[in-house]
Amino acid sequence: MLASHFAAKGLHVFIAGRSENKLQRVAEGIRQHGGSVTFVVADATIVQDVAQLFKMAQSDDYIIDIAAYNVDSNIPAPLLDTDTETFTMLWQQNCLGAFLFGKEAVNAMKKRKQGTLFFTGATASLRAKPPFTAFAAAKAGLRALAQGMAREFSPQGIHVVHTIIDGVIDGERARNQFPDYVNAKGKDGLLQLDAIAETYWAMHEQHPSAWTHELDLRPFKEPF
């Protein structure tokens, strides 16, 4: 949805992921609405893939105004049932990948001394709760990365934002996996994709004298 929203604003968007079929579907949806898009098959945890993504994004004289790191990776498990492979994979996808992505984004933006870099966090970024302890460890690392990058690169004109998604996003996955929960939440009880994208865009347009580094987004019905 971020890509669709940014494309609707007139930007040429690059979308990346590991599934070519999924990327093709998303790209086609953007094009059907008049948007301009390029999809790149890439794994965020592989240095060469991330470097190639940013190389392509800067081809044909494109300038990177916005870069958003958002991975959908969470495996619930009690701590004693979490093996080293699972813990490492969650860290690689949620934290290491953000590090690789963030470095490439900053290198692309620092030449012009402007740009917005988004890192999408979660409730777990702030507090660890079973059975998501491994996930929380990775998301907390992502938050620390975003804080450090904001302090280092804000003076260079790069707006680094960490968004905490505190709630369930309304989409096909939620409605298929736990429909009873979705129905129980009722109208506007889940985060709407359009609303999230609008908030991201608003932060991108903020004046540098009043930048937001971190904010949380949650439905008005969500307890916290």
Side-chain angles (χ1 to χ4, degrees):
M1 181 51 67
L2 291 179
S4 298
H5 192 84
F6 296 158
K9 293 294 185 178
L11 300 182
H12 179 85
V13 298
F14 285 79
I15 56 175
R18 294 177 296 179
S19 171
E20 183 173 359
N21 290 335
K22 184 175 181 180
L23 290 169
Q24 286 179 330
R25 290 196 302 270
V26 174
E28 183 58 31
I30 292 172
R31 293 185 184 117
Q32 287 177 355
H33 288 86
S36 179
V37 58
T38 300
F39 71 84
V40 182
V41 178
D43 186 326
T45 66
I46 298 176
V47 176
Q48 294 85 349
D49 282 13
V50 180
Q52 179 64 20
L53 167 63
F54 277 86
K55 182 179 179 179
M56 293 182 65
Q58 295 175 88
S59 63
D60 297 328
D61 295 325
Y62 285 123
I63 295 171
I64 299 177
D65 285 325
I66 305 173
Y69 187 80
N70 179 43
V71 297
D72 183 14
S73 177
N74 188 4
I75 303 173
L79 185 66
L80 296 181
D81 294 336
T82 302
D83 56 30
T84 303
E85 181 181 0
T86 298
F87 188 94
T88 301
M89 180 178 66
L90 287 171
W91 172 79
Q92 288 175 326
Q93 293 172 347
N94 289 284
C95 191
L96 175 64
F99 165 73
L100 300 176
F101 185 91
K103 283 184 66 177
E104 291 289 345
V106 167
N107 274 323
M109 294 174 178
K110 68 180 183 180
K111 303 170 187 176
R112 298 172 57 238
K113 296 185 177 180
Q114 67 182 70
T116 307
L117 173 58
F118 290 104
F119 293 108
T120 300
T123 309
S125 302
L126 301 179
R127 56 185 180 273
K129 184 178 180 180
F132 303 105
T133 303
F135 175 69
K139 283 297 187 184
L142 169 63
R143 184 180 185 229
L145 172 71
Q147 285 181 351
M149 292 187 69
R151 290 186 171 99
E152 184 172 357
F153 298 111
S154 288
Q156 300 180 38
I158 299 172
H159 187 186
V160 181
V161 184
H162 178 245
T163 57
I164 299 167
I165 304 300
D166 187 17
V168 175
I169 295 175
D170 191 1
E172 182 178 344
R173 178 180 176 183
R175 293 184 176 276
N176 289 339
Q177 291 188 356
F178 29 89
D180 292 341
Y181 176 85
V182 172
N183 292 332
K185 283 295 183 180
K187 180 177 173 56
D188 296 330
L190 275 64
L191 287 138
Q192 298 300 307
L193 290 167
D194 284 337
I196 295 173
E198 288 171 3
T199 301
Y200 274 56
W201 184 258
M203 285 187 289
H204 170 61
E205 291 195 312
Q206 285 179 332
H207 191 273
S209 67
W211 271 353
T212 295
H213 161 60
E214 182 173 81
L215 83 164
D216 47 3
L217 299 176
R218 69 174 60 84
F220 75 106
K221 296 181 179 180
E222 189 73 18
F224 65 99

